[in-house]
Amino acid sequence: MLVLRPFIRQVVFRAARPHFIATPRYSSTLAEDVRSDSTFRIPLIDFAAYKQATSLAEKRRIADDIVNGFKEVGFVYLTGHVIEPETVNRVFQKAKFFRLPEETKARLAWDDPKANRGYVQVGRERVTTSMDAAEIAVLRAKAPDTKESMEIGRENHPTFSNKWPQETEVPEFKQTMLHFFQTCHEVHTMVMKSIALGLDLPEDFFDNKIDRQDHNLRLLSYPPIRTSLLLGDGQARAASHTDYGTLTLLFQDSIGGLEVQNPHTKHYQPASPIPGTIVVNAGDLLARWSNGVLRSTLHRVVAPPATKINATEGMTPARQSIAFFCNPNFDATIESLPTCTSTSNPSRYPPLTTEQYIVGRLAATYS
């Protein structure tokens, strides 16, 4: 049996100098650019302008940029965000969790899709767009995702508890993760306010639908792997998939590997790491809420260039990332918003709750 041992590098999430991340000017619109792979881009948006706005008109300008990014691409880069690089670095440094002995991590194993908490070993998950458990099982057996993860939910849940390593095993792990969880929730709330404005809704429309923090913080480790193991049909570090909730906040290391499908050409394009930014993408439930106006776009993680180890074989470097999967309250009913439907564009989706959708997807995804 192949054993993939994690190699944890020191990851530094740098705050880029302002002139490196200034919003670029384009002579063409985003809608025009994304129609061709040669000009495809993921918009870079300075979210500080929204937080610092002193009028609704100023907020609306940034809100329109964000909504337009989700309409055309499904992804945006946000800079000027409220999360300090030092805060992100502390979370990356706790990736030493993955160095723990296998038996220690196994004690914290993920075991319930409703809880969605705990350690997921390499090969147990197989992300896909399919919702059929039998089909996913076949895909998992043929080409499992070559990653491991640690899943963390809100700490004050009345039924489910997080699975923490001992303080002696990874000092300050719990404290660091809970602080980051709360920080990401606050970013989610602010971005959802901007989306509400961009969809012609009151700015606080989503507030009481996302306030229970039914989110999922995921630490991801992609161990080094021989290139020959990634050559099989459908094999990738993480296969093509969409995310389930409202938004995903993604923090990347410098290795990269994230690719986004251009919705207009169906070809994959790199979402290269930009220092000091958060990659934000719309999930399935936000797409359903907006009646398909906002895109939940396919994406995947592929192997970066490998180091050659002999004439026929290479070794890919390790990769780390942090994903914060933002969700509506689990009892929230997701139905098409009134500003996204009309007599000529009726609702495409039947109403359902967050829990019905997400738990169903998770139950099918994991072995």
Side-chain angles (χ1 to χ4, degrees):
M1 182 179 78
L2 174 68
V3 178
L4 299 173
R5 299 191 181 280
F7 174 78
I8 306 301
R9 298 172 295 103
Q10 177 80 5
V11 174
V12 178
F13 187 81
R14 292 182 175 86
R17 295 177 183 176
H19 66 275
F20 286 161
I21 54 175
T23 303
R25 297 180 182 275
Y26 296 94
S27 58
S28 53
T29 67
L30 179 64
E32 292 169 334
D33 286 348
V34 298
R35 263 49 183 191
S36 168
D37 289 326
S38 64
T39 55
F40 176 84
R41 60 185 170 92
I42 297 172
L44 175 67
I45 298 169
D46 181 4
F47 197 58
Y50 184 88
K51 295 180 293 178
Q52 296 164 5
T54 57
S55 70
L56 191 61
E58 290 178 48
K59 285 187 172 183
R60 182 62 192 252
R61 179 175 60 82
I62 303 302
D64 287 346
D65 287 344
I66 290 173
V67 165
N68 192 43
F70 289 145
K71 283 181 178 179
E72 295 295 341
V73 184
F75 277 73
V76 300
Y77 290 101
L78 290 188
T79 186
H81 53 79
V82 297
I83 303 182
E84 296 298 328
E86 294 76 15
T87 299
V88 182
N89 286 339
R90 282 195 291 272
V91 180
F92 271 120
Q93 289 161 8
K94 297 308 174 184
K96 64 183 71 173
F97 165 83
F98 294 108
R99 295 178 185 169
L100 294 174
E102 293 301 319
E103 59 270 20
T104 302
K105 292 185 289 186
R107 189 185 73 234
L108 307 173
W110 185 102
D111 57 9
D112 186 336
K114 287 188 176 181
N116 195 26
R117 289 159 166 81
Y119 171 70
V120 180
Q121 68 186 35
V122 173
R124 188 176 181 192
E125 183 183 19
R126 208 318 183 157
V127 290
T128 173
T129 57
S130 174
M131 298 180 67
D132 182 86
E135 180 183 355
I136 295 173
V138 172
L139 291 171
R140 187 187 304 113
K142 180 181 179 181
D145 291 345
T146 53
K147 66 178 188 294
E148 57 183 335
S149 66
M150 182 61 172
E151 315 290 331
I152 298 163
R154 66 180 170 104
E155 183 71 354
N156 62 345
H157 196 282
T159 305
F160 303 112
S161 299
N162 283 310
K163 301 187 176 188
W164 302 111
Q166 297 296 319
E167 180 67 15
T168 54
E169 294 169 339
V170 188
E172 299 184 355
F173 184 86
K174 177 179 178 179
Q175 167 187 338
T176 301
M177 297 308 148
L178 291 180
H179 177 261
F180 192 67
F181 191 103
Q182 182 61 37
T183 302
C184 288
H185 168 71
E186 292 166 4
V187 173
H188 174 232
T189 301
M190 186 65 69
V191 176
M192 290 298 288
K193 286 179 180 292
S194 73
I195 291 171
L197 282 182
L199 293 177
D200 297 318
L201 295 163
E203 187 181 21
D204 63 356
F205 178 85
F206 293 110
D207 285 6
N208 64 357
K209 303 169 183 63
I210 60 173
D211 58 353
R212 293 186 189 169
Q213 305 190 25
D214 288 327
H215 314 306
N216 171 234
L217 170 60
R218 169 181 281 194
L219 308 184
L220 286 149
S221 172
Y222 299 81
I225 185 171
R226 291 177 178 268
T227 52
S228 60
L229 298 174
L230 293 171
L231 297 178
D233 182 33
Q235 185 71 63
R237 278 184 153 178
S240 297
H241 64 284
T242 58
D243 295 338
Y244 305 151
T246 48
L247 301 172
T248 299
L249 312 181
L250 179 69
F251 307 83
Q252 304 188 76
D253 68 5
S254 61
I255 296 297
L258 175 65
E259 291 187 342
V260 173
Q261 187 186 72
N262 183 336
H264 307 281
T265 68
K266 309 305 180 185
H267 298 149
Y268 279 88
Q269 303 291 332
S272 301
I274 300 177
T277 66
I278 305 175
V279 179
V280 184
N281 63 281
D284 296 347
L285 289 180
L286 186 55
R288 291 179 73 108
W289 237 337
S290 69
N291 199 33
V293 171
L294 308 183
R295 296 179 184 271
S296 181
T297 299
L298 281 168
H299 52 284
R300 66 188 182 187
V301 178
V302 299
T307 300
K308 195 169 185 178
I309 57 178
N310 60 43
T312 60
E313 185 71 281
M315 182 70 75
T316 66
R319 176 182 186 261
Q320 292 172 241
S321 65
I322 305 161
F324 189 79
F325 296 105
C326 310
N327 299 317
N329 298 341
F330 261 35
D331 62 356
T333 298
I334 310 302
E335 53 188 337
S336 297
L337 298 167
T339 57
C340 297
T341 57
S342 65
T343 53
S344 61
N345 182 35
S347 177
R348 305 180 191 179
Y349 307 101
L352 47 59
T353 66
T354 303
E355 182 175 23
Q356 285 174 318
Y357 186 79
I358 291 181
V359 172
R361 294 299 305 268
L362 289 172
T365 297
Y366 289 94
S367 62

